[in-house]
């Protein structure tokens, strides 16, 4: 009797672990809203469970390379260094949407007049050369400079555009945070902060600044991103290994189907297959 | 080490008894083995990092993309956060335990203690969320800071988290002092506080210190809650005692970066070395206190029998 119970228990556990139609996805917290919305629809249709976890683009790649997840999410390209660390695995990126990284400020600062910033001014803030909002036409308050973890995709894109390097040292940083969620919370709590957020994460407490350029200024709007005018834009990728299973491939196809792309727009990003 | 403790000379046990003994001894060695394996793994895994970037470890700049792995800010952060937590929690915990142990009704005492022990059952992520949404905001308001995600907040949050450990174990230590000792002391005509100071404390002291050490270990090892409130900035405070600036601890660093670093890379290896430092700090504190207390216990036993 005891043995039977034990067998049953272990059988249940094994099935729970290696259920063939459970897909796991992990990585970028920027891509996550898209994939989790799409996963809901997909699960309802196909009856297959999809488990979506955050962790950042870097984690998405390394977990996929180590075989810990079926699909990785990355809000940036795979770096040469990352490829070099796993020479035996072949990994390809598939774009499922487009996004823009917006320099954002606390609403108090925005309302006090800092609505436009140039890329050089933003670089100055992150380098630590500009430390008070007064220097930028705002109130006499120190700037709370919110940076992100070095391997985050959002930071790579942002820093590439602002400082010209993907992983620069930011001497002006006051806080280093991780996910969009964490960054959003810190920006909301502060009344004098600057940070970087993906376009889908803006809200009433956090205002995206318009970029002053040599030509006409560019506002952080979906229209500008769609038209390719906004300079800090990127593809939202999922990454898969070349020995991909049919079940995984089916979900990838779904993400790029019109139905999957609807979820991209529902999450606040821009469709890629149009 | 395994043979210390109460030893009684018994006649040779039957097979059943010997099996039981072997099982017990085996379990003890297994636990010791785990500790050794963990330590060895950390040492082996950190070797590549030491070889290729060891020279940068004792600096202040952590820039994996440029091959710099300065660990001073996070080592400093771990130690200072632990110290703040202990300075706040130790007196409160010990004094509260004394107060509880002096409650005369056992029913009430158990109820109060159970309530405080419930604090220990709260998962650390919950403390972290409370820290981010309330404590850090309070700290920012009180000290008029731009952000409350600072070293002090992490220390204060940790002090609440380790309080139940100190409190429960201290109360146990005081309650476990044999009645004969306290009654004899009282019979000699000592005041209540003298009974406590001269009869209870000398016996319970080493156990209270053990409680403090366990709490200290938890303070050093806590990750999630600290990671959310400390600001994760790899920089030494300026000036160095400024606990109102953001910082980094070894655990918060590991929590944020281990998932991102490729297994086997220098980055990964450097993180492992950081955790080796953490384990070494905890271990040496444990050993040091063991030595101190075994000495003191011996001398105090001598005293009591005079």
């Amino acid at each position: 009797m005891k043995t039977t119970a034990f067998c049953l228990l272990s059988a249940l556990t094994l099935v729970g672990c290696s259920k063939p139609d459970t897909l796991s996805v992990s990585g970028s917290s920027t891509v996550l809203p898209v994939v989790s919305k799409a996963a809901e629809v997909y699960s309802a249709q196909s009856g297959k469970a999809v488990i979506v976890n955050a962790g950042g683009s870097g984690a998405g790649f390394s977990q996929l390379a180590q075989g810990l997840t079926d699909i990785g999410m990355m809000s940036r390209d795979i770096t040469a260094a990352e490829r070099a660390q796993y020479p035996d695995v072949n990994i390809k990126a598939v774009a499922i949407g487009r996004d823009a990284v917006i320099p954002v400020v606390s609403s108090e600062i925005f309302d006090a007049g800092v609505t436009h910033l140039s890329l050089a001014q933003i670089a100055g803030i992150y380098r630590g050369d500009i430390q008070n909002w007064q220097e930028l036409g705002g109130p006499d308050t120190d700037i709370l400079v919110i940076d992100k973890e070095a391997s985050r995709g959002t930071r790579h894109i942002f820093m590439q555009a602002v400082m010209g390097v993907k992983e620069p040292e930011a001497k002006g940083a006051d806080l280093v945070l991780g996910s969009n969620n964490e960054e959003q919370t810190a920006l909301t709590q502060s009344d004098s902060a600057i940070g970087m957020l993906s376009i889908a994460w803006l809200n009433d407490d956090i205002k995206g600044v318009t970029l002053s350029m040599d030509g006409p200024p560019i506002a952080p709007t979906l229209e500008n991103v769609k038209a390719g005018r906004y300079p800090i834009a990127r593809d939202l990728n999922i990454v898969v290994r070349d020995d991909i299973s049919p079940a995984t491939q089916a979900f990838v196809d779904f993400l790029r189907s019109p139905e999957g792309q609807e979820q991209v727009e529902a999450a606040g990003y821009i469709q890629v297959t149009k | 080490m395994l043979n210390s403790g109460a030893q009684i000379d018994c006649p040779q046990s039957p097979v059943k008894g010997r099996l039981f003994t072997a099982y017990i001894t085996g379990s003890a060695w297994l636990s010791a083995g785990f500790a050794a394996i963990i330590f060895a793994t950390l040492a082996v895994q950190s070797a590549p990092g030491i070889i290729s970037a060891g020279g940068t470890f004792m600096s202040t700049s952590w820039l994996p993309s440029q091959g710099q792995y300065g660990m001073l800010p996070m080592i400093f952060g771990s130690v200072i956060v632990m110290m703040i937590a202990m300075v706040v929690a130790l007196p409160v915990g010990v004094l509260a335990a004394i107060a509880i142990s002096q409650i005369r009704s056992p029913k009430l005492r158990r109820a109060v203690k159970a309530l405080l022990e419930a604090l220990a059952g709260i998962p650390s992520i919950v403390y972290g969320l409370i820290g981010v949404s309330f404590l850090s905001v309070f700290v920012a308001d009180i000290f008029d800071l731009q952000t409350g995600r600072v070293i002090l907040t992490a220390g204060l949050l940790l002090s609440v988290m380790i309080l139940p450990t100190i409190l429960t174990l201290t109360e146990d230590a005081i309650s476990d002092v044999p009645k004969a000792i306290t009654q004899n002391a009282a019979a000699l005509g000592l005041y209540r506080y003298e009974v406590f100071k001269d009869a209870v404390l000398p016996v319970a002291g080493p156990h209270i210190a053990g409680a403090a050490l366990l709490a200290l270990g938890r303070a050093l090892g806590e990750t999630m809650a600290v990671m959310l409130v400390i600001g994760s900035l790899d920089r030494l405070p300026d000036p160095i005692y400024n606990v109102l600036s953001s910082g980094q601890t070894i655990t918060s660093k590991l929590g944020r970066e281990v998932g991102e670093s490729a297994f086997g890379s220098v980055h990964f290896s450097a993180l492992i070395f950081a955790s080796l430092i953490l384990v070494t700090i905890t271990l040496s504190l444990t050993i040091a206190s063991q030595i101190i207390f075994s000495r003191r216990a011996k001398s105090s036993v001598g005293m009591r029998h005079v």
Side-chain angles (χ1 to χ4, degrees):
Chain A
M1 188 61 210
K2 248 185 192 168
T3 337
T4 328
F6 180 76
C7 284
L8 231 119
L9 197 74
S10 53
L12 278 175
T13 331
L14 282 176
V15 169
C17 295
S18 59
K19 209 174 159 194
D21 43 351
T22 301
L23 280 179
S24 68
V25 189
S26 66
S28 160
S29 68
T30 308
V31 188
L32 179 123
V34 179
V35 176
S36 61
K37 270 181 209 287
E40 264 173 47
V41 180
Y42 183 72
S43 295
Q45 284 179 3
S46 65
K48 288 172 184 161
V50 182
I51 299 164
V52 190
N53 280 309
S57 295
F61 178 85
S62 54
Q63 287 184 13
L64 179 76
Q66 288 165 28
L68 301 174
T69 185
D70 296 314
I71 299 176
M73 300 179 283
M74 292 182 83
S75 55
R76 58 171 168 83
D77 295 330
I78 303 167
T79 65
E82 278 173 332
R83 284 203 188 278
Q85 267 152 8
Y86 298 97
D88 313 333
V89 270
N90 235 326
I91 289 175
K92 64 169 185 191
V94 181
I96 59 165
R98 267 190 86 68
D99 173 37
V101 180
I102 315 288
V104 289
V105 296
S106 307
S107 55
E108 288 82 356
I109 297 300
F110 191 86
D111 296 339
V114 187
T115 55
H116 288 60
L117 288 175
S118 71
L119 290 176
Q121 284 172 325
I122 299 170
I125 294 173
Y126 276 91
R127 235 182 265 124
D129 300 337
I130 303 174
Q131 298 187 342
N132 195 302
W133 283 115
Q134 216 167 19
E135 296 171 54
L136 301 166
D140 180 16
T141 324
D142 280 342
I143 305 177
L144 177 70
V145 185
I146 303 182
D147 196 3
K148 288 191 88 149
E149 292 166 12
S151 64
R152 292 281 174 173
T154 305
R155 187 179 193 266
H156 280 202
I157 306 296
F158 182 81
M159 289 302 180
Q160 181 71 53
V162 171
M163 305 252 239
V165 215
K166 270 185 189 161
E167 295 192 40
E169 186 182 7
K171 284 214 170 75
D174 294 310
L175 282 182
V176 181
L177 302 176
S179 61
N180 281 307
N181 222 326
E182 209 182 1
E183 180 116 358
Q184 193 191 36
T185 310
L187 280 156
T188 310
Q189 283 178 347
S190 168
D191 51 13
S192 58
I194 184 168
M196 58 195 97
L197 270 184
S198 151
I199 195 165
W201 292 79
L202 304 189
N203 65 23
D204 290 345
D205 272 323
I206 306 164
K207 306 281 187 185
V209 292
T210 298
L211 295 174
S212 8
M213 310 294 281
D214 290 338
I218 306 170
T221 58
L222 277 176
E223 290 69 45
N224 278 336
V225 183
K226 268 183 202 165
R229 279 190 294 269
Y230 196 81
I232 323 177
R234 56 171 165 184
D235 281 338
L236 300 178
N237 295 320
I238 50 171
V239 287
V240 288
R241 300 161 71 119
D242 58 357
D243 52 350
I244 184 172
S245 72
T248 312
Q249 185 63 51
F251 184 57
V252 173
D253 292 342
F254 175 79
L255 284 170
R256 287 181 62 90
S257 73
E259 229 179 333
Q261 290 293 305
E262 265 174 39
Q263 304 306 320
V264 173
E265 222 161 72
Y269 299 114
I270 294 144
Q271 301 196 4
V272 77
T273 47
K274 257 185 187 171
Chain B
M1 207 175 113
L2 291 167
N3 290 325
S4 69
Q7 290 259 313
I8 313 155
D9 287 322
C10 292
Q12 177 74 29
S13 330
V15 177
K16 212 175 167 186
R18 264 178 284 157
L19 268 178
F20 189 59
T21 314
Y23 182 56
I24 291 176
T25 319
S27 306
W29 280 113
L30 196 65
S31 321
F34 282 141
I37 289 170
I38 289 172
F39 208 77
T41 312
L42 290 180
V44 170
Q45 290 288 343
S46 50
I50 298 172
I51 291 164
S52 56
T56 67
F57 283 1
M58 286 303 127
S59 71
T60 55
S61 91
W62 178 275
L63 295 165
S65 60
Q66 293 166 32
Q68 291 180 26
Y69 300 95
M71 297 180 187
L72 283 183
M74 62 179 108
I75 297 172
F76 175 80
S78 274
V79 173
I80 191 90
V81 165
M82 176 265 284
M83 277 163 54
I84 294 173
M86 290 302 283
V87 164
V88 176
L90 194 61
V92 175
V94 170
L95 294 178
I98 294 173
I100 292 169
S101 71
Q102 300 301 310
I103 297 176
R104 287 216 171 80
S105 147
K107 234 186 206 167
L108 182 62
R109 189 168 66 222
R110 271 200 296 275
V112 172
K113 218 182 144 194
L115 206 66
L116 289 162
E117 278 172 4
L119 276 177
I122 300 173
S124 64
I125 182 73
V126 175
Y127 280 105
L129 291 175
I130 293 172
V132 167
S133 17
F134 302 107
L135 187 63
S136 74
V137 179
F138 286 149
V139 171
D141 282 351
I142 291 169
F143 294 100
D144 194 22
L145 301 172
Q146 279 200 301
T147 173
R149 296 172 193 228
V150 293
I151 292 172
L152 180 69
T153 312
L156 292 178
L157 189 64
L158 261 186
S159 71
V160 179
M161 296 178 71
I162 63 174
L163 190 61
T165 310
I166 297 179
L167 202 150
T168 322
L169 293 178
T170 304
E171 206 276 331
D172 285 346
I174 295 171
S175 302
D176 285 349
V177 172
K179 278 263 153 52
I181 294 181
T182 48
Q183 283 169 354
N184 277 340
L188 288 172
L190 298 183
Y191 291 112
R192 201 171 169 194
Y193 83 92
E194 286 176 321
V195 172
F196 190 83
K197 181 167 72 72
D198 296 326
V200 175
L201 262 192
V203 183
H207 301 280
I208 296 175
L213 199 75
L214 211 67
L216 196 149
R218 180 165 188 204
L220 276 174
E222 175 51 42
T223 305
M224 209 58 218
V226 171
M227 191 176 112
L228 287 172
V229 298
I230 199 165
S232 301
L233 191 68
D234 293 304
R235 200 178 297 157
L236 284 173
D238 178 36
I240 195 83
Y241 51 80
N242 182 10
V243 293
L244 295 178
S245 58
S246 301
Q248 180 86 283
T249 65
I250 294 177
T251 49
S252 67
K253 189 73 190 171
L254 291 172
R256 285 204 183 273
E257 282 189 15
V258 154
E260 311 262 339
S261 63
F263 183 80
S265 63
V266 176
H267 185 185
F268 181 81
S269 184
L271 289 171
I272 296 292
F273 183 73
S275 54
L276 185 65
I277 293 179
L278 189 67
V279 175
T280 312
I281 295 176
T282 322
L283 213 66
S284 40
L285 282 171
T286 313
I287 294 171
S289 57
Q290 291 270 347
I291 294 171
I292 293 169
F293 293 122
S294 67
R295 270 191 204 149
R296 197 178 289 171
K298 265 179 213 154
S299 62
S300 72
V301 165
M303 288 287 286
R304 242 179 287 141
H305 286 279
V306 167

